[in-house]
Amino acid sequence: MDFRWQVVWDAIPQMVEGAQLTAWITLLGIGGGLLIGTICGLILAFRLPLMHWLVFVYVSVIRGTPIVVQAMFIYFALPLALDITLSGFAAASLCLALNAGAYISEIARGSVLSVDPGLTDAGLALGLSYPQVLLHVVGPLALRRSIPPLGNQFIISLKDSALFLVIGVAELAQKGEQLTAQTGRALEIWTAVAVFYLLMTFSLAMLMRLLERRLTIL
Amino acid sequence: MSLIRCDKLCKSFAGTPVLKDVDLCVQGGEIVVLTGRSGSGKSTLLRCLNALDVPDSGTLEIAGHKLGRGQRSRQALRRETGMVFQQFKLFPQMTARDNVMLGPRKVLGLSRKESQAVADRLLRRVGLETESGKLPAELSGGQQQRVAIARALAVNPRIMLFDEPTSALDPELRGEVLRVMQDLAEDGMTMLVVTHELRFAEKVGTRLLFLDQGRILHDGEPSRLLREPPSERLRSFIGSIYSD
Ligand SMILES: Nc1ncnc2c1ncn2[C@@H]1O[C@H](COP(=O)(O)OP(=O)(O)OP(=O)(O)O)[C@@H](O)[C@H]1O
Ligand SMILES: [Mg+2]
C-alpha cells in the first residue's frame, strides 16, 4: 500500500474551504446554543411555571432523537410545513444551535444548582434582588463550573457538524466525500480529513483550557 | 418604636411545626441572645425575621416595614437587617474587599470609590485592613467571619442577626469574632444573636431568650436566668453546655 502525499497536497485548498465552513457552522451553532441553553437552563433551574414544561419538552425531543433526523427534519420537512426555504448552511447552523442548546441547558441548570444556596441567602440577606444575586454571585460561579462540560459540548458540536453532509452542505466531511470520489484515494483523503478535525478540536480544547485557567474554578 | 415586632409567628416545614405562635418585641439597642437545643427553631426564627424563610402566619414588622406578599416587601426588611451565618458564606470568587463592597455598590447604589471607602473603613473596624486583597479561601475561619460581619454592616442595617457565628470556629479563633461583636454592641447596634456562648450572653447580652420546641419558654435578664434557671428544661440545657 503506498501513501501518495501528492493527493493530500492537491486536496488541501478544498479541504481548507470545507474546514472554514465547518468552523462557521460550529461557531454559529455554539453561539446560538449558548444563548438558547443559558435561557433554558435558567428556566429549568428556577422552575419557572409553564415555561419549564416547554423547555422540558424541547430538551426531551432533542435528546431523544438522532441529530441526523433533526437535520433532515429542519432541511426537508420544516420548509414544507412553514412554506419557507432554508439554505443548507442556515439549516445546518440552526440544527446545531438547537441541538447544542438542549444539552447546554442541562449544563447550565446543573451549574446553577451546584452553587451553594447559602450564598444566595447571603446575597438576599444583603438586600440584593434575585436577579442581582444571579448576576453578581451565582452566575459568575456557575459560569466557572460550566466551562469543563461546555468545552466537551463544543467539541461534540464541532464533530456533529460532519453529518450535515447528508443535507449537502459543503463542510469538511462532505469535501472529503467529494474528493474521494474525484481522486479515488480514500486512504489519503480520509486521513487528511481526520487530521483537519483533530487540529480543530485540539485548538478548541486548548482554548477552553486557557479560559479555565483564567477563571479559577471555585 | 420597637425595631422588631412579631405577633403569633408560625412556621412549619412539610407539616412539622417549627415555630409556634412566637411573639417578640425588640427595642433599639437591645442585645438579645437566643439559645436553645438543636432543632428548637432558632435559625428558623432568625431567617423569618429577614424573610429568608417566609412565615406561614402571623405578622412581622422590622423597623416600621411590614412583611407583606411579594419580593419587594421582603427586600425592604432585608435592607434593615444584616445577617451573619454560621458557615460565613462569603462569595468565594471575590476578595474580602469586594465582598464588603457588593452591598454598598448594588444595594445602596454608591459609586465604586465611595464603596471602597466604606469597605476599607469596615475592614479596619474588624481588624482586617491588611487582608482586604485576599480571597476567602486564603483567610482563616475567624478572619472570614469578621469579613462577613463587615459585609453585613456595609449596607447600614438597623439590626444585626447572628446565627451561631462562632460554632464553626476553633476555640482559639472564637475570641476575635466575639470581641468584634462586643465592640458592635458597645457602639449601640441592636443585635439578635443565636449562640451557645453563655458567657457572651451574660457579659454582653441585655436579654436572653430560651427557645424550646418552637416557643419562647423564657425571656429575661441573662445573668438571672442563667444563675437561677426557672425551669428544669433550661437547667438541663445549661448543664449540657457546660458538660462538654
Ligand atoms: N428548609 C427546611 N426544610 C425542612 N425542615 C427544616 C428546614 N429548616 C429547618 N427545618 C427543621 O426545622 C427544625 C428547626 O430547625 P432550626 O434550624 O431552626 O433549628 P435550630 O434551633 O437552629 O437548630 P441548630 O442548633 O441545630 O442550628 C429542625 O427540625 C429542622 O430539621
Ligand atoms: Mg441553627
Side-chain angles (χ1 to χ4, degrees), chain B residues 37-44 47 86 163-164 194 196:
Chain B
R37 293 191 185 284
S38 178
S40 57
K42 306 178 298 292
S43 300
T44 307
R47 292 170 57 85
Q86 184 174 353
D163 192 356
E164 304 203 33
V194 173
H196 298 302

Side-chain angles (χ1 to χ4, degrees), chain B:
Chain B
M1 189 192 68
S2 45
L3 277 184
I4 301 176
R5 175 191 293 281
C6 63
D7 280 306
K8 299 221 174 313
L9 218 59
C10 293
K11 175 75 185 172
S12 30
F13 289 108
T16 312
V18 173
L19 295 180
K20 302 166 191 162
D21 290 328
V22 173
D23 298 328
L24 179 62
C25 211
V26 176
Q27 308 294 325
E30 281 192 272
I31 312 297
V32 182
V33 174
L34 190 58
T35 196
R37 293 191 185 284
S38 178
S40 57
K42 306 178 298 292
S43 300
T44 307
L45 176 56
L46 225 55
R47 292 170 57 85
C48 280
L49 294 180
N50 67 357
L52 285 181
D53 283 337
V54 180
D56 300 330
S57 63
T59 60
L60 172 62
E61 198 178 312
I62 302 284
H65 297 273
K66 280 204 167 59
L67 174 63
R69 292 174 188 287
Q71 288 297 331
R72 200 155 313 156
S73 98
R74 292 180 201 169
Q75 223 177 319
L77 293 198
R78 290 173 191 149
R79 283 178 186 214
E80 304 293 346
T81 53
M83 191 164 200
V84 176
F85 301 85
Q86 184 174 353
Q87 304 289 347
F88 329 134
K89 301 301 173 191
L90 291 179
F91 308 128
Q93 77 276 33
M94 298 181 198
T95 61
R97 195 193 207 193
D98 287 338
N99 264 278
V100 183
M101 278 174 64
L102 188 66
R105 281 289 277 154
K106 303 298 169 187
V107 177
L108 303 181
L110 299 187
S111 72
R112 166 164 280 279
K113 216 171 168 170
E114 291 166 321
S115 310
Q116 272 170 0
V118 171
D120 291 341
R121 176 172 57 79
L122 288 170
L123 285 171
R124 200 171 324 117
R125 184 167 174 188
V126 299
L128 289 173
E129 61 272 30
T130 56
E131 317 294 313
S132 67
K134 291 192 179 163
L135 290 172
E138 298 164 336
L139 298 173
S140 75
Q143 292 173 328
Q144 287 187 57
Q145 194 61 301
R146 286 186 281 153
V147 174
I149 294 174
R151 176 179 68 177
L153 288 172
V155 290
N156 303 321
R158 309 270 305 269
I159 305 160
M160 285 287 286
L161 308 172
F162 294 84
D163 192 356
E164 304 203 33
T166 57
S167 301
L169 298 174
D170 291 337
E172 71 268 26
L173 297 178
R174 289 181 185 163
E176 60 187 61
V177 172
L178 291 172
R179 242 183 327 274
V180 167
M181 290 169 62
Q182 187 173 352
D183 283 347
L184 209 53
E186 281 161 7
D187 284 350
M189 177 59 82
T190 309
M191 296 167 42
L192 213 76
V193 186
V194 173
T195 185
H196 298 302
E197 303 270 355
L198 298 183
R199 235 170 315 142
F200 176 85
E202 251 193 283
K203 197 161 84 174
V204 182
T206 59
R207 189 172 162 194
L208 181 71
L209 300 181
F210 179 63
L211 209 63
D212 186 64
Q213 298 182 354
R215 290 179 208 278
I216 297 177
L217 193 60
H218 299 297
D219 177 352
E221 210 254 311
S223 49
R224 194 181 56 78
L225 282 178
L226 293 174
R227 280 162 205 211
E228 297 153 34
S231 71
E232 190 46 43
R233 296 195 82 95
L234 180 56
R235 189 191 315 278
S236 73
F237 173 72
I238 295 168
S240 70
I241 284 184
Y242 285 125
S243 68
D244 48 53

Side-chain angles (χ1 to χ4, degrees), chain A residues 27-110:
Chain A
L27 213 64
L28 287 171
I30 289 175
L34 274 175
L35 191 70
I36 298 171
T38 307
I39 295 171
C40 291
L42 290 176
I43 290 174
L44 289 176
F46 295 105
R47 303 186 65 82
L48 298 188
L50 221 63
M51 287 209 277
H52 104 268
W53 285 110
L54 290 177
V55 174
F56 177 75
V57 170
Y58 156 63
V59 173
S60 304
V61 168
I62 297 290
R63 289 209 297 195
T65 56
I67 187 168
V68 189
V69 175
Q70 294 160 18
M72 294 295 212
F73 185 87
I74 289 174
Y75 188 59
F76 294 112
L78 204 60
L80 292 178
L82 298 181
D83 200 24
I84 48 166
T85 44
L86 276 179
S87 69
F89 176 72
S93 309
L94 180 64
C95 179
L96 205 59
L98 286 173
N99 189 273
Y103 290 97
I104 292 174
S105 31
E106 283 297 301
I107 294 173
R109 180 180 77 97

